Amino acid sequence: MTWTAEQKMRLLFALRSKGVTDKRVLTAMEKVDRGLFVQGLFADRAYDDTPLPIACGQTISQPSIVGTMTQALDVGPRDKVLELGTGSGYQAAILAHLARRVYTAERFKRLATHAQHLFDTLGLTNIITLTADCSHGLPDQAPFDRIIVTAAAEDPPGPLLAQLRVGGIMVLPVGQSDAVQTLIRVRRTEDGYEYDELGPVRFVPLLEGLGRE
Ligand code: SAH
């Protein structure tokens, strides 16, 4: 079963009312049924603008935060994107509609395997899913045009900054894991890095090493 026109409209309305107005982003989000990425107990809340629990004690982000981050990332059709924190795979599936290629890494094998299965079902062949601790980035595939981090670190990880191409953009939450964090955007210029703040957010922590599930 796919989502109904009413569920779609409800989600798009929530996105617009939270400032997600970029047409390309809205079109990409309209193509991805969030219900496929939320299972079990919370399935009936898949179209609400709220974060929800997924396996391994993790969360699928709130749709308006996914929209805000995707909009801030300003992804183009030739871009190579790195996502740290596959989780359910929802964010990666949206990026796949905007980018040339998406590398997404997850420290829990169980989540990565499940997300890969969904990408295969949806025919999203431009996503490369890896089970890996990505806190040091993916040096083999660097540099990236865009980097999105969907888990919170206290500061932008140095290796990720280094793997951003000059002219590239990274969007990530920074701050203590048990407090409200700040969403920031980093632009790499010829001379260094420029930072701007996009608002308060709450993400699960970025952890080192592989997960045990
Ligand atoms: N983008 C996801 C939400 C992710 S929640 C979605 O659309 O559903 C954050 C995810 O980051 C969790 O699944 C967590 O296990 C993962 N994570 C945390 N630290 C990580 C690391 N060092 N490397 C890879 N994944 C990590």
Side-chain angles (χ1 to χ4, degrees):
M1 207 178 81
T2 54
W3 51 342
T4 64
E6 195 199 319
Q7 288 167 329
K8 203 178 269 191
M9 268 175 48
R10 186 146 58 97
L11 194 84
L12 288 172
F13 180 78
L15 292 171
R16 284 206 192 86
S17 69
K18 298 273 176 68
V20 183
T21 52
D22 183 323
K23 270 213 97 163
R24 285 178 310 146
V25 173
L26 292 169
T27 305
M29 291 188 74
E30 209 181 328
K31 287 185 185 148
V32 182
D33 179 356
R34 189 168 184 253
L36 298 174
F37 297 83
V38 178
Q39 271 149 8
L41 273 180
F42 298 95
D44 61 339
R45 299 192 57 194
Y47 308 107
D48 293 351
D49 189 25
T50 181
L52 292 169
I54 54 171
C56 306
Q58 305 304 310
T59 45
I60 176 171
S61 312
Q62 184 174 348
S64 57
I65 294 294
V66 172
T68 300
M69 291 176 82
T70 310
Q71 184 165 274
L73 206 59
D74 192 22
V75 183
R78 295 159 62 97
D79 287 345
K80 181 167 82 171
V81 182
L82 170 63
E83 182 196 27
L84 190 165
T86 313
S88 67
Y90 179 60
Q91 172 78 74
I94 292 162
L95 292 170
H97 287 285
L98 296 163
R100 178 168 57 86
R101 179 162 293 176
V102 179
Y103 289 86
T104 182
E106 170 55 56
R107 59 188 288 279
F108 284 104
K109 187 172 198 312
R110 181 170 157 205
L111 291 176
T113 307
H114 188 66
Q116 177 70 66
H117 171 73
L118 287 170
F119 303 149
D120 291 345
T121 311
L122 295 170
L124 297 173
T125 53
N126 60 339
I127 307 180
I128 292 146
T129 314
L130 304 151
T131 301
D133 165 7
C134 195
S135 48
H136 301 282
L138 281 185
D140 291 354
Q141 304 300 335
F144 295 95
D145 302 295
R146 299 289 184 265
I147 300 179
I148 180 169
V149 184
T150 64
E154 290 194 17
D155 296 298
L160 291 182
L161 289 171
Q163 289 170 32
L164 190 61
R165 188 191 297 284
V166 172
I169 299 175
M170 170 155 75
V171 175
L172 75 164
V174 288
Q176 303 278 345
S177 62
D178 53 356
V180 173
Q181 304 131 8
T182 306
L183 189 64
I184 65 166
R185 173 172 45 196
V186 185
R187 288 174 195 274
R188 184 166 191 180
T189 66
E190 296 281 355
D191 309 321
Y193 299 90
E194 288 171 359
Y195 297 82
D196 58 309
E197 292 190 4
L198 306 174
V201 283
R202 248 199 130 113
F203 276 84
V204 298
L206 191 151
L207 298 172
E208 300 214 356
L210 288 184
R212 276 198 266 153
E213 281 184 74

